[in-house]
Amino acid sequence: RGGYESASKHFNPADVEVDVAGRSFLVTGANSGIGKATAKEIARRGGTVHLVCRNKERAEVAKEEIVTETGNQNIFLHIVDISNPKEIWKFAEKFQNEHKLNVLINNAGCMVNIRELTEDGLEKNFATNTLGTYIMTTALVPLLEKAADARVITVSSGGMLVQKLNISDFQSGNGPFDGTMVYAQNKRQQVVLTEQWAKAHRNIHFSVMHPGWADTPAVRLSMPDFYERMKNSLRTEAQGADTVLWLAVSPEATKLPSGLFFQDRQPVPTHLPLAYTHSPPEDEEKLMEVLEEFSQKFKSVSPR
């Protein structure tokens, strides 16, 4: 929280005091934490918000809260499990036919501390954080390509700084399983994805960010020891969401190059000094190839 408080002294409040009526935003994992805080702030500014959530009951409560607090009726709910690639394809294909989209916010994520497989045989963290983010984004790129001032923001984590891209074990099947490190690897993968997408799609502004450590249900659940130690110094959900909101609505954000990693409204390095976390370009290309293969495999079986 201290980091946020000192950084925020340099923020220009006008950057996020914008009317986004008529613009459409999709937020994954929007029923709690940073996702919900972001959706609420966008709704306050008049945006049309599509909440993509896994749990119908919790999602309906979140939607009701956002509508009540902001007075914005243009809040839509979609129930999708981001760890299920077939469901994402099905959702994206339907969404493209029915809606427009200016900004995609990839916020859904998980940190599962024991190795767990989805019904498709995918390791759960990888399925949600990496493959789910990949499919949601690539499936919606054609819709974003048609939009004015299109943006994609992915919520990563500073934890990725401790990981070098590992292309030999995407499913974390080798050796002992450490959920925190698997999550950090997925977050490194999201940074690489963002850099690759920025090169491939020049008319969409891509960014990835570290929200700082915030007091969210996900942190309490997946990192209970960390939470107990740090709870008095964690950021609020709104502070964690501040840079997401800034990247989503501020005209200032898109003046910076596409593909950067942000913290507290500033681009920051994606590697620590002297860290051996840089990857050769062929490893980054391999990541894209593998994800595209997975993606197509699940697309071919999606019901038309």
Side-chain angles (χ1 to χ4, degrees):
R1 195 185 307 150
Y4 175 83
E5 285 162 359
S6 64
S8 64
K9 295 189 179 98
H10 307 286
F11 292 171
N12 179 359
D15 282 1
V16 292
E17 284 166 14
V18 282
D19 179 355
V20 290
R23 283 176 68 72
S24 173
F25 300 77
L26 189 155
V27 186
T28 66
N31 62 313
S32 70
I34 287 165
K36 184 171 80 172
T38 303
K40 195 178 285 181
E41 290 305 319
I42 291 168
R44 266 192 235 288
R45 289 159 176 75
T48 296
V49 187
H50 295 275
L51 312 173
V52 173
C53 308
R54 190 181 58 207
N55 182 301
K56 191 168 190 287
E57 291 71 34
R58 289 205 298 252
E60 282 169 348
V61 170
K63 177 188 168 181
E64 194 56 43
E65 182 187 317
I66 292 168
V67 170
T68 305
E69 283 191 32
T70 66
N72 185 339
Q73 299 294 321
N74 293 321
I75 312 296
F76 301 93
L77 195 51
H78 310 273
I79 304 303
V80 185
D81 181 350
I82 301 290
S83 73
N84 184 322
K86 296 193 253 336
E87 253 184 59
I88 303 172
W89 272 120
K90 199 168 144 189
F91 159 74
E93 284 166 9
K94 184 169 185 285
F95 189 89
Q96 291 199 59
N97 294 329
E98 295 173 2
H99 304 282
K100 66 170 204 150
L101 183 63
N102 298 90
V103 181
L104 166 64
I105 298 170
N106 290 310
N107 164 73
C110 68
M111 188 196 292
V112 181
N113 288 315
I114 48 170
R115 191 167 186 274
E116 190 182 311
L117 299 182
T118 68
E119 63 184 45
D120 297 305
L122 298 167
E123 190 274 317
K124 187 84 176 267
N125 294 292
F126 170 77
T128 309
N129 303 327
T130 304
L131 185 60
T133 298
Y134 179 86
I135 295 177
M136 182 65 81
T137 306
T138 50
L140 292 174
V141 155
L143 190 57
L144 288 159
E145 296 267 11
K146 298 177 193 163
D149 186 13
R151 308 180 187 194
V152 175
I153 298 118
T154 300
V155 179
S156 179
S157 164
M160 69 92 195
L161 290 165
V162 303
Q163 286 281 317
K164 178 180 177 175
L165 181 66
N166 173 5
I167 58 163
S168 66
D169 187 21
F170 288 114
Q171 307 274 4
S172 311
N174 303 338
F177 185 88
D178 179 337
T180 309
M181 286 301 124
V182 171
Y183 176 81
Q185 173 66 214
N186 296 161
K187 296 295 167 175
R188 167 64 70 191
Q189 291 162 349
Q190 290 178 341
V191 170
V192 174
L193 285 178
T194 299
E195 292 167 350
Q196 296 295 317
W197 284 329
K199 290 180 202 163
H201 307 288
R202 299 289 183 177
N203 47 349
I204 301 172
H205 191 272
F206 289 88
S207 52
V208 59
M209 57 78 68
H210 172 41
W213 297 103
D215 185 352
T216 63
V219 167
R220 291 180 183 207
L221 184 69
S222 57
M223 304 170 75
D225 299 345
F226 172 81
Y227 173 73
E228 277 308 314
R229 278 202 316 276
M230 302 296 291
K231 61 185 176 189
N232 296 325
S233 56
L234 293 174
R235 298 176 175 212
T236 64
E237 292 175 347
Q239 288 170 342
D242 174 80
T243 296
V244 189
L245 178 72
W246 181 81
L247 288 166
V249 306
S250 169
E252 294 306 306
T254 51
K255 291 179 184 173
L256 291 157
S258 182
L260 298 179
F261 179 62
F262 287 83
Q263 183 174 346
D264 293 331
R265 302 191 189 181
Q266 290 291 325
V268 291
T270 55
H271 299 277
L272 293 168
L274 307 179
Y276 296 98
T277 52
H278 294 266
S279 311
E282 55 269 28
D283 282 10
E284 301 187 348
E285 284 157 24
K286 179 71 177 168
L287 171 69
M288 302 309 277
E289 279 168 28
V290 169
L291 292 177
E292 185 57 23
E293 277 167 28
F294 269 121
S295 166
Q296 290 305 322
K297 181 173 120 184
F298 292 110
K299 183 182 187 181
S300 57
V301 294
S302 79
R304 281 278 179 263

